[in-house]
């Protein structure tokens, strides 16, 4: 199959996540980056595009969408890696021209935008892939497969957390700038930036949906305008309960996303910082360390894995797996063939649920952590 | 100093915790067990007492209290290790006769009893020591000392949890019998049995008190009459926030009590199953592994430690430390000398707070996890 | 059964290991310490004995042996916890008077003494128990049982190590004084103090004996008279191979004794600093964490364990297990009943093998690490 | 800079390592694979080349070397990823035509070939890069930098090991076929395949060279023609000592390469399966966990790292770092500018040392593990 022609919005010189998307798109060699509107000012967009040697450089995403849609060999897909508040407008331009969208999370900076974007996606023939990248880790797939196949039994308790420490003191990072500005990040701080990942992971692994939540959010650092710590109790449809903790002020935590799932037949534990291991305890038996591609790992993980056990894959490979799934979906779309049921990627519906989660957290917290339905 | 003459109420042949108290009382050779009313029936009490070779065996605690108080060389202290609902009546008998009480937690099975017992203790000259044994671990003392000395800064977030798995299915354990019977355990199940430990540990390490909490309790196992899983959000006086999770239905967890404390200057992590390590991250520096009696450990931990670093001490030594603190206090009482400020043991006030915690959890949960003040 | 009347030689105020023996003898309440010659000078012996409140205090071990043997209620057993060079003379005095000996390792400071002591023990009716205490850890028993029952298959490779760091620089510790003096410790430094533990553990777990070894010993710290690092290749009878590393100059290691055993059916890993876990990999299956008293642990470990899984036992309990085994053996001796086959303790033959190991290491190293038969 | 035009020899459809090289060459987007002779038969070479969509496909490496050297836009560099016995002949063809070589380890299957290849490389203007890929891990660079800057002090002891378990039983893996055939792998089995990595890593991190070694090699699996377990004692120039263990029959080990380095000022520990952490103990201080790009990590690691701490990089990124270093070197060569001293890659001299290491192990083992100089 020919490589998929890819464009990018955002991800200029200073951005962290743009580079991640570019590496992720290259790892399995199924995309070719050929166009970009990489920054919010024409000058920076031009400079960043040149630095990458992009064939076609645009001043802004709208110009790119219009022109690429007209080109015979224009981009087939676009990665949107801007600050949150730009996702909506950018994605809409490409969706309405039939260009597939691969978009960072959270889907949008407001719930209203998320709902409008869902309609735009439904009206478009193009695919929409949300990069909840942690769902691309092989051992997360393994966990999901084990839950789905009943090995854990009926799920009762889900403990999920995503602590970081980089915003423990007043931010001095470039990366922090827009993330702590509600106009650009949305109403959620830690909830939006990382709580959504935790929420998505909990749902992805268990197959459950959150029915309602009670959230107690704080902005501990003086002057901070968005939450930097969130304590959330979860009630899932069907009766399982959960706790979700996200924090950017927990010294000693880098990106310590971790999930634990307990059912009446067993338990599972997975930690993002050590992603090649999944700990499984069948009730009444010793805890087992299942390793990526190692003994005990099944097909769902093997699909997402490139190298033998004991040679760790990491964040970039997990991210690349989302791009690989997207490539499978885009190829099926190209050829009009049905997509294999094995291919899984976060959708715009997942994105809407993520924004609803943020919105519910913020509303609950304002009402003294009252229960709010999702 | 002569060994302290000790009696025991409860802790007969089948009981787990009685044996723990006896070993704990022996490790540092400061107590001598000389009398007991070890079971709830005279026959079992007699048989259990004989099995231990006790000099004086009683049919019930009241008879023991009366007679020992009259003996010239009667017991100076009594360990009460019965099911929860007996604590109150037993402790009262000894307190009113001036015999020091070392009592298991939770203090009582009802809040009303706890308040009455506090009055009884205040009216007595005798000491009251509650065996919240996890406070005896050297690295817990180390953590407390580091918080108190300001090394962690202003505390913002406390994550504490105590998951177990032994009640994942319908109980078949002898130990489970009274623990899942609200008439004997009190209204809290997991909250009373282990949630109180987590609550106590959080307060002990941080020096903070819980102002209010919101609790979502479940009894997941069909037919269970008390909670076997508790999700609790905490608000501490002064503004720190916390989450507390206790569970007896989390497969893969044995006694996985764990605390994490985050302030504006650093973070601490400690886990009961690996108790010789305290992980400390000064913000902006690498995480450090402080070991019991090893480099970086201070005086508060050294007081509680018997052997060199790398030779693990465990649960029994931590428990013995509570007995050692009690021995120091009893010796000071014997001689009328002031007690060193270094000596710390959980008090009846801590016990009352623990019962208030259980009561608040149960009340909050009944009110849809509304916030309840402590 | 009545408590066993115990004496102690060595273990005065400044010693580390004497206190360990005393706690170990108390934990299961089967011994009572009633006499002691606790130090090498009469004054210190007297002071140390008084500090412990010993009923009978002696100036030296010979006086103690003579008098106690004559007393109607004299000691039945003696713990010898002196520096190595005293073991021989002290043990001989008690053995020849029919008093059971519980002796620290290494057995003696010279091979000649070890052989003589073996003869003395064979000529005596008294028991001889060597405190290779690490064999008392429940999960070490578990490992031994798994190997013996064939779960690991034919053993091929044994990796054992005991690194420490306390002698990284010129010694300033009291404990170091005699340990680095060949006249008192024997010809081996790290090999004698900790290498023997590693050697014993490898043989205990696997049931194998070392046929020959090649050792490369070093004294890295300037002026040190005995080895502080030993690299040893092992050839076991039957064809298995091993490596043994002992070091007192490895910063970051406290008492990091660790053994790994590999056969054609599986592998085992155990580490002394985290002694409640045994890692077992059946070949082709995920690694399993077997916990003390937890799922997957068998009878051999359960015999040696006091409390539920997840409540860690440590070094003192492992040491106490040797005392418990000794108590079983002494009670069987008292009553003339056969000793249960479950009871295992390190014997004087094990002690001789340990001294042979040290001797072989020293001889091999002097001959450029040539192979030396044991 | 324009991407470097790359060819590949070996790495056809069934091979593991060819895919690794291709991903590694893509991650940082500095190479473009344009030609290949991917298999040992023309049919397979053609099929594998087509599967990858290679612009230019060759039947064999010689034809490729000849033609590419003549093309105006021919390959500038070639990756040689064949079984060991082909390295020599293939590398020679490219070197003599001035095409840079990126070659798998071990350098060659015989020492004679290694020496001849060194001469060929010295006679060529082309660069030679050996993919001892573990030297590309950021925290390995960090360790090397810390040793070089004196933070560990004078190195005394190096413990390095590389256990695997995949050959515990008779091989059934495609990958095993040539690796256990001495005609293709060379005289070393585990020593050649993974022992060389351990040897290289020890030298890379410490800056030391092995002066002599004593090796005890075994082929435990019946019928195996090359060693599957190697025990090696090392003496480094300057007086440090080491142990090296490599094994392919150690159940529970996947690719458990691990190094520990001890000097008079501190210790370091690193494990390949958890590569984002470097454990550092300054003597007398607590152990510290230095994380990739985290607090405490320096410039040497930062150069090799793409993403923030807590987002794990893995084996492929470490491998890609070797390609990045090669790209820097090739670009400097293109432009005739001096290469930055920061750029480090394993050279053909390292390769020769690796083959000397294998040869010395085999010779030593045949002579009853006598010491052999390197």
């Amino acid at each position: 199959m020919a490589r998929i022609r890819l464009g990018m919005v955002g991800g200029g010189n200073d951005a962290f996540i743009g580079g991640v998307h570019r590496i992720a798109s290259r790892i399995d060699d199924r995309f070719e980056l050929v166009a970009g509107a990489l920054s919010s000012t024409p000058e920076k967009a031009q400079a960043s595009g040149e630095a990458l040697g992009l064939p076609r450089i645009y001043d802004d995403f709208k110009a790119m969408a219009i022109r690429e849609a007209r080109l015979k060999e224009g981009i087939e897909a676009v990665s949107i890696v801007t600050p949150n508040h730009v996702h909506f407008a950018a994605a809409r331009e490409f969706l309405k021209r039939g260009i597939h969208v691969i978009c960072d999370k959270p889907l949008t900076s407001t719930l209203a935008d998320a709902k409008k974007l869902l309609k735009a996606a439904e009206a478009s023939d193009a695919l929409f892939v949300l990069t909840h990248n942690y769902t691309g880790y092989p051992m997360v797939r393994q966990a999901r497969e084990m839950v789905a196949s009943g090995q854990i039994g009926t799920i009762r308790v889900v403990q999920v957390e995503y602590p970081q420490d980089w915003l423990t003191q007043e931010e001095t990072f470039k990366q922090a700038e827009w993330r702590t500005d509600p106009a650009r990040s949305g109403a959620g701080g830690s909830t939006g930036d990382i709580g959504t990942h935790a929420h998505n992971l909990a749902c992805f692994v268990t197959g459950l949906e959150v029915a309602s939540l009670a959230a107690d959010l704080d902005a501990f650092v003086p002057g901070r305008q968005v939450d930097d710590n969130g304590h959330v109790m979860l009630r899932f449809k069907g009766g399982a309960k959960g706790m979700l903790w996200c924090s950017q002020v927990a010294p000693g935590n880098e990106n310590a996303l971790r999930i634990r799932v307990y059912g009446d037949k067993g338990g599972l534990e997975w930690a993002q910082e050590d992603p090649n291991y999944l700990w499984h305890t069948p009730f009444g038996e010793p805890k087992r360390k299942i390793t990526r591609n190692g003994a005990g790992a099944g097909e769902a993980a093997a699909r997402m894995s490139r190298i033998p056990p004991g040679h760790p894959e990491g964040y970039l490979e997990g991210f690349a797996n989302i791009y690989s799934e997207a490539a499978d979906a885009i190829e099926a779309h190209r050829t009009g063939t049905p997509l294999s049921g094995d291919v899984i990627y976060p959708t715009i519906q997942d994105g809407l649920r993520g924004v609803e989660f943020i919105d519910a957290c913020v509303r609950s917290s304002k009402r003294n952590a009252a229960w709010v339905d999702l």
Side-chain angles (χ1 to χ4, degrees), chain A:
Chain A
M1 285 290 214
R3 290 182 193 143
I4 296 159
R5 297 180 303 276
L6 181 69
M8 184 169 278
V9 177
N13 287 335
D14 291 335
F16 143 64
I17 203 69
V20 167
H21 278 255
R22 289 190 290 269
I23 295 175
S25 73
R26 274 200 301 273
I27 281 182
D28 295 317
D29 204 21
R30 301 179 65 183
F31 291 87
E32 184 167 11
L33 185 63
V34 295
L38 301 181
S39 200
S40 51
T41 70
E43 297 72 25
K44 287 189 190 169
Q46 189 65 30
S48 294
E50 285 173 7
L52 291 176
L54 283 192
R56 301 189 292 276
I57 302 171
Y58 296 91
D59 284 0
D60 61 74
F61 61 76
K62 186 155 186 182
M64 180 161 111
I66 292 170
R67 176 155 169 74
E68 290 289 325
R70 289 177 185 163
L71 284 177
K72 192 180 167 191
E73 296 280 301
I75 59 171
E76 300 168 84
V78 68
S79 294
I80 299 175
V81 299
T82 63
N84 303 342
H85 68 301
V86 180
H87 292 176
F88 168 64
R92 195 172 51 173
E93 293 299 328
F94 292 92
L95 285 174
K96 75 178 176 197
R97 291 174 177 86
I99 293 171
H100 308 303
V101 171
I102 299 170
C103 182
D104 247 348
K105 47 53 55 188
L107 181 62
T108 57
S109 58
T110 71
L111 182 54
D113 280 356
K115 290 176 177 172
K116 280 188 270 179
L117 192 56
L118 175 61
K119 286 195 180 160
E122 287 171 345
S124 169
D125 180 48
L127 301 168
F128 193 99
V129 176
L130 194 74
T131 53
H132 264 310
N133 57 293
Y134 302 110
T135 64
Y137 274 114
M139 301 317 280
V140 168
R141 298 291 177 109
Q142 173 74 21
R144 176 184 164 99
E145 183 181 53
M146 290 176 79
V147 171
S149 69
Q151 291 183 60
I152 310 307
T154 301
I155 303 302
R156 293 165 167 171
V157 178
V158 182
Q159 302 292 110
V160 66
E161 61 186 41
Y162 196 153
Q164 301 178 322
D165 64 8
W166 68 308
L167 298 181
T168 292
Q169 299 182 349
E170 287 183 44
E171 51 267 17
T172 55
F173 295 88
K174 166 78 184 165
Q175 303 298 337
E177 193 193 326
W178 68 259
R179 281 180 171 80
T180 54
D181 173 8
R184 287 178 282 175
S185 69
S190 65
T191 42
D193 204 33
I194 52 178
T196 44
H197 276 306
H199 165 257
N200 175 261
L201 185 65
C203 297
F204 183 80
V205 166
T206 62
L208 299 174
E209 284 183 38
V210 174
S212 59
L213 61 77
D216 202 22
L217 311 185
D218 283 276
F220 280 112
V221 173
R224 187 157 289 158
Q225 298 180 64
V226 290
D227 64 82
D228 52 24
N229 190 81
H231 285 160
V232 189
M233 296 201 295
L234 304 172
R235 292 174 178 167
F236 293 93
K237 292 177 184 168
K241 297 289 181 77
M243 291 185 112
L244 183 152
W245 173 45
C246 55
S247 185
Q248 294 169 322
V249 295
N253 292 284
E254 294 176 335
N255 280 286
L257 174 62
R258 181 183 179 216
I259 186 166
R260 294 175 287 176
V261 176
Y262 301 106
D264 59 359
K265 291 191 183 163
L268 289 175
E269 303 168 40
W270 180 81
Q272 193 268 150
E273 296 192 352
D274 300 294
N276 294 279
Y277 312 131
L278 178 67
W279 297 90
H280 173 217
T281 307
F283 178 64
E285 297 184 28
K287 189 169 289 196
R288 295 164 187 191
K289 184 184 188 180
I290 304 177
T291 59
R292 188 187 45 74
N293 256 346
E299 280 307 302
R303 275 189 72 241
M304 300 278 97
S305 180
R306 293 157 190 82
I307 48 176
H311 280 149
E313 294 192 12
Y315 177 86
L316 293 168
E317 286 77 26
F319 219 110
N321 286 334
I322 303 295
Y323 269 86
S324 272
E325 299 288 52
D328 279 354
I330 292 169
E331 284 191 3
H333 188 274
R334 270 178 177 175
T335 56
T337 50
L339 184 60
S340 158
D342 292 342
V343 175
I344 306 168
Y345 56 84
T347 64
I348 194 162
Q349 284 82 4
D350 294 317
L352 175 60
R353 277 185 212 107
V355 179
E356 287 171 342
F357 166 81
I358 301 168
D359 179 74
C361 286
V362 172
R363 284 190 295 130
S364 171
S365 190
K366 283 185 182 159
R367 293 168 47 203
N368 193 29
W371 289 96
V372 168
D373 290 344
L374 256 81

